[in-house]
Amino acid sequence: MKEKEIFDKLVNAEDDTMDILTDMCPEITDAELDRLLAVTERKYKMKKKDKDRAEKDNDITMSENEVSGVERVRRPAWLTPIATAASVVLVAGIVLGSVIMLNRQAKSGNGSGVDQPAVTATTADTTEITTTATGTSVTNTASTTQTTTETTAETTLYTTVPFVAPAAEDIYVDNELGDIALELFKEYDEIDLLRNAAGVEVDTQDGLRFAADPEVEIRSTCYDTHQGEKGIAYYIHVTDSRFSCLEDIRRYLRSVLSEGLYERLFGDSMASGFDELEQNEVLDKEHMKQWIEYRGKLYQYCPYGGWEKLPVVFSDSYPVIIADKTETSCTAYFPEWYIEVDNVENCVCMEVKLILDPEFNDWRIDNVQQFEGRHYGELYDMLNS
């Protein structure tokens, strides 16, 4: 009954109530949202498993008001909290996930106003999923008349790309290369902050205000009032010692990313060459990017709403596993947890592909995928056996 009341309140909530809920909820990436829901589902299954085991051990069958078994007895008092806890965990995860998604849509105004690269993943059965700032569309390319919201690739909360394990004879531990892969990934994780206009020092007293291109529906944050405003593109002066121009940003990103991955993630995120434009005039779509150079200074777009990141942790107990190494490429696998190190079955298996970048003659990340923790466990067992 209480669960039903929770959903009824959400369904019947007024707009201002939902605004309050979404404003209170932190902005997280799609990957983090998937992991959050995965943890919720896992905890629900664990608690439900405890309840089912208790029923089996006591030779009883649960019903709403009574139990049955060898003889009719009352429901044991200690089973109710277990069942309730499992339900509450699941409901809380669904509600929190829903609020986060509402938050993301409300605070982005159907897009931050900054062109975000579309990310397309194609599964084995040619089901194509395209994700943009305004949502996700799924099209089954096997039939031009059919649209579906399901994929038939490996079922996983982390990715639509099926996990392909390397051959047992091709995996090993290389401490030096493993350290390189892990450190590059940690910097890659920090780059997510830049993608969401966070992690950069700025001067809150020095900003720009342009009218947004009418073709772009945006809602950005005023640097004076910190309130969201529609139809205005606000930018704020970057004072971070690492970045004084667009080339500094590119150089920093390329210290971690391959040229190909840089182009996919940030290739259309910078603009310059409009110094003649006065403030309050219309900034056209082609120049409305995440970072701009304007009259000799570097500015960063001010998206509406805050953005937070779940802390990521690693464990020295589980090595970075190297696979498919050539003279110019390799793949690294390692476990990752959120907030605290847990059982390896509850980790996220990270697959990081590295290439030897010819521009720098050094290793760079060329692709990152995340899979269920059991896949790292499988590789770890293969390595030890």
Side-chain angles (χ1 to χ4, degrees):
M1 178 62 72
K2 290 184 178 179
E3 295 170 15
K4 184 176 185 301
E5 290 176 357
I6 291 173
F7 285 109
D8 286 343
K9 289 179 180 179
L10 288 174
V11 170
N12 298 321
E14 299 293 339
D15 291 341
D16 55 350
T17 303
M18 295 309 297
D19 288 341
I20 293 173
L21 284 173
T22 56
D23 286 339
M24 290 173 62
C25 194
E27 190 81 10
I28 65 176
T29 65
D30 290 336
E32 290 170 340
L33 176 58
D34 288 342
R35 296 175 199 178
L36 175 63
L37 294 176
V39 170
T40 301
E41 181 185 34
R42 183 167 59 250
K43 289 185 176 180
Y44 166 74
K45 289 180 178 178
M46 290 173 61
K47 291 182 181 295
K48 186 176 184 299
K49 185 177 180 180
D50 290 340
K51 179 181 77 68
D52 294 341
R53 185 186 301 112
E55 293 178 359
K56 182 178 180 181
D57 292 344
N58 288 271
D59 193 22
I60 55 179
T61 302
M62 303 299 296
S63 64
E64 183 175 358
N65 298 312
E66 59 182 9
V67 295
S68 61
V70 176
E71 59 178 321
R72 303 188 70 81
V73 296
R74 298 184 63 81
R75 177 201 297 260
W78 50 268
L79 275 178
T80 300
I82 294 178
T84 302
S87 299
V88 169
V89 166
L90 182 61
V91 171
I94 295 172
V95 171
L96 181 57
S98 300
V99 171
I100 287 173
M101 295 177 70
L102 286 172
N103 183 36
R104 183 176 301 154
Q105 293 177 355
K107 292 187 176 182
S108 64
N110 292 329
S112 65
V114 182
D115 289 346
Q116 298 293 341
V119 180
T120 301
T122 304
T123 64
D125 66 341
T126 68
T127 298
E128 186 175 277
I129 304 125
T130 302
T131 302
T132 65
T134 56
T136 302
S137 61
V138 183
T139 305
N140 190 326
T141 56
S143 173
T144 58
T145 62
Q146 181 179 6
T147 299
T148 179
T149 57
E150 298 180 356
T151 62
T152 57
E154 175 185 351
T155 301
T156 168
L157 289 172
Y158 301 113
T159 177
T160 57
V161 178
F163 180 79
V164 179
E169 60 270 19
D170 292 335
I171 64 174
Y172 64 100
V173 173
D174 182 322
N175 291 330
E176 181 179 359
L177 190 55
D179 288 344
I180 291 173
L182 190 56
E183 289 306 311
L184 280 174
F185 177 77
K186 290 178 180 178
E187 293 200 42
Y188 171 88
D189 203 47
E190 290 297 315
I191 286 174
D192 270 344
L193 295 174
L194 269 69
R195 294 179 66 189
N196 292 275
V200 176
E201 295 180 6
V202 294
D203 181 0
T204 58
Q205 303 301 314
D206 186 2
L208 300 175
R209 181 185 189 277
F210 295 107
D213 189 318
E215 295 184 5
V216 180
E217 183 179 344
I218 70 166
R219 187 174 185 181
S220 59
T221 301
C222 174
Y223 45 81
D224 289 328
T225 65
H226 303 290
Q227 299 296 316
E229 187 171 348
K230 294 183 179 180
I232 302 296
Y234 287 105
Y235 286 84
I236 198 164
H237 181 207
V238 175
T239 57
D240 198 302
S241 59
R242 297 173 297 173
F243 313 121
S244 61
C245 61
L246 296 178
E247 180 57 29
D248 287 344
I249 297 176
R250 178 191 181 277
R251 190 179 299 112
Y252 170 73
L253 297 174
R254 286 287 282 114
S255 70
V256 178
L257 311 177
S258 69
E259 180 69 26
L261 187 55
Y262 165 81
E263 288 295 331
R264 293 198 296 274
L265 297 180
F266 296 97
D268 193 30
S269 63
M270 307 178 193
S272 60
F274 53 95
D275 291 351
E276 74 285 352
L277 187 68
E278 297 295 335
Q279 288 203 50
N280 295 314
E281 292 183 350
V282 176
L283 182 62
D284 61 65
K285 182 179 180 180
E286 286 68 27
H287 293 97
M288 197 179 300
K289 305 301 181 182
Q290 182 169 348
W291 293 290
I292 62 173
E293 278 185 11
Y294 180 75
R295 299 182 180 179
K297 296 167 69 174
L298 179 64
Y299 292 88
Q300 177 176 274
Y301 179 77
C302 300
Y304 177 58
W307 193 86
E308 297 181 9
K309 187 171 181 60
L310 297 175
V312 176
V313 292
F314 306 92
S315 172
D316 294 333
S317 300
Y318 298 99
V320 177
I321 298 175
I322 302 299
D324 304 324
K325 186 179 184 302
T326 70
E327 292 184 357
T328 59
S329 66
C330 70
T331 303
Y333 298 91
F334 49 85
E336 170 191 275
W337 292 266
Y338 276 84
I339 303 177
E340 62 181 4
V341 173
D342 196 356
N343 189 296
V344 69
E345 295 180 357
N346 297 329
C347 74
V348 177
C349 175
M350 302 306 304
E351 178 189 81
V352 179
K353 294 186 181 297
L354 305 180
I355 65 169
L356 195 62
D357 195 292
E359 182 177 337
F360 299 92
N361 193 32
D362 203 355
W363 293 103
R364 295 292 184 266
I365 292 180
D366 192 51
N367 193 47
V368 174
Q369 291 285 355
Q370 50 191 12
F371 300 95
E372 295 177 357
R374 62 186 175 87
H375 293 303
Y376 177 83
E378 293 167 1
L379 295 180
Y380 186 73
D381 291 341
M382 289 166 57
L383 186 69
N384 291 328
S385 62

